[in-house]
Amino acid sequence: MNEGINDIAIIGLGMIGASFAAAYRRLNPEGRVLGVDVSAETLRIGRENGWVTHTATPDDEAFRSFIDEGCDLVLLAVPVEHALGYFKQLAQWGYRGIISDTASTKGRICGFAEATLDNPAIFLPGHPMAGSEVNGIAGARPEMFQGAHWILCPDERTPADSYTALHDLLTSLGARVISLPREQHDAAVAVVSHVPHIVASSLVQLANTHVDDQGALFRLAAGGFKDSTRIAAGSSRLWSGILLDNAEEVSGTLRELRGIIESYRLAIAQKNRLLLEELLEQSAEARRAIPTRWLPETERLFEARIPMENRQGAIAEITTLASTHGCNVQSIEIDHLTAHTAVLSLVLTDEGDMEAFAHELRNSGYSVSVGPLTAKEYAHVRE
């Protein structure tokens, strides 16, 4: 268990916040977790399940007391529009620990941090790519993040020790951490998460307009239709907030998608088999090109050692390059040699293109050595 993060305040015990609390308490039964929520019933459920050790409403003095006692991490698991008030509270209280979040967009919440925090570098934006059709604390489960991607968005100001501490905590919960520049986050999730939700909802609406009184069409809707529309059952209130918060990126991506769909429509309407096959094959080739090595089934581990000499933003740059080349960072450590020099040690699974990762690091001015780990060397990763 990471020694850097033990006392955690989770603001918002919804599906994600409560799942985080449950997973952390399963991993570290001695850890102190404060659950902050406006609902007394939600707080009661959190206490009874043993997911939190302390509870408070947002205006409860117990909230500030927990922060003042030395809280290591504040996790904002609330909608973006509610985050601003909590940033202001934490700034007024002089909080100096790590702040992270679980919001699906980063533009506005990063702006809130910049506008309110004396030291915005303590905010390390995050986004777990996990969820359930069941809303609120009723949908929480401790295994929620097993195998799920959790995006972190460090920048050049992010303290290396803060990144490694949070990375270690998230991977210990079973998450697979990906680094992504915060300015690229919203455009990326518009493509892989937000627009797919709209597409799923649209397919359900289409099917619903064609269903008969006996619902025969939906009884036939197994397989691909069922799998691709499952996410449409999510909270309409939650998703409308997410989509509007990322309105510019989602709107632009929908325009792109409309053009692609129109290409298919025209090919079919014109009975242009050659064009239709070309369109389908382009998509098939792109899908087949996704490396199977990026999947999480692996037993082999490698270590990349990278000397760092007083280079600002090295953690953000290096971990983002690893994610770009599909290299999953299983563990990350910093060996401080002097006050100004250190060696960054990344334990990597055998996914992705490590050769390209190492090559790009060298082109960026880093020295790097990559080699396999022995069982003894990575025993701590497995424990």
Side-chain angles (χ1 to χ4, degrees), residues 369-383:
S369 62
V370 180
L373 286 180
T374 66
K376 180 179 179 180
E377 286 174 321
Y378 68 77
H380 71 285
V381 178
R382 294 298 193 194
E383 291 173 355

Side-chain angles (χ1 to χ4, degrees), residues 8 10 12-28 33-35 46 50-53 75 140-142 145 173:
I8 301 174
I10 301 174
L13 288 183
M15 175 186 60
I16 294 295
S19 292
F20 187 91
Y24 178 73
R25 288 280 292 159
R26 173 187 281 185
L27 177 72
N28 184 16
V33 178
L34 170 71
W51 296 343
V52 295
T53 57
L75 184 70
R141 47 191 177 86
F145 310 113
L173 301 182

Side-chain angles (χ1 to χ4, degrees), residues 147-164:
H149 289 103
W150 194 305
I151 301 172
L152 289 180
C153 300
D155 66 9
E156 68 279 359
R157 302 167 300 177
T158 302
D161 290 339
S162 295
Y163 181 90
T164 56

Side-chain angles (χ1 to χ4, degrees), residues 306 318 321 356-368:
I306 307 161
I318 292 169
L321 285 176
F357 171 47
H359 179 72
E360 193 160 349
L361 281 173
R362 294 187 182 103
N363 284 344
S364 299
Y366 293 98
S367 298
V368 58

Side-chain angles (χ1 to χ4, degrees), residues 29 58 73 90 93 96 120 122 131 135 139 160 170 186 205 237 243 303 315 320 336 338 348:
L73 168 68
L90 294 169
W93 297 342
R96 292 292 180 265
I122 69 173
N135 303 316
L170 296 176
D186 290 1
Q205 289 182 18
R237 182 177 182 183
L243 296 172
E303 181 184 36
I315 288 287
T320 298
H336 294 281
T338 70
L348 306 168

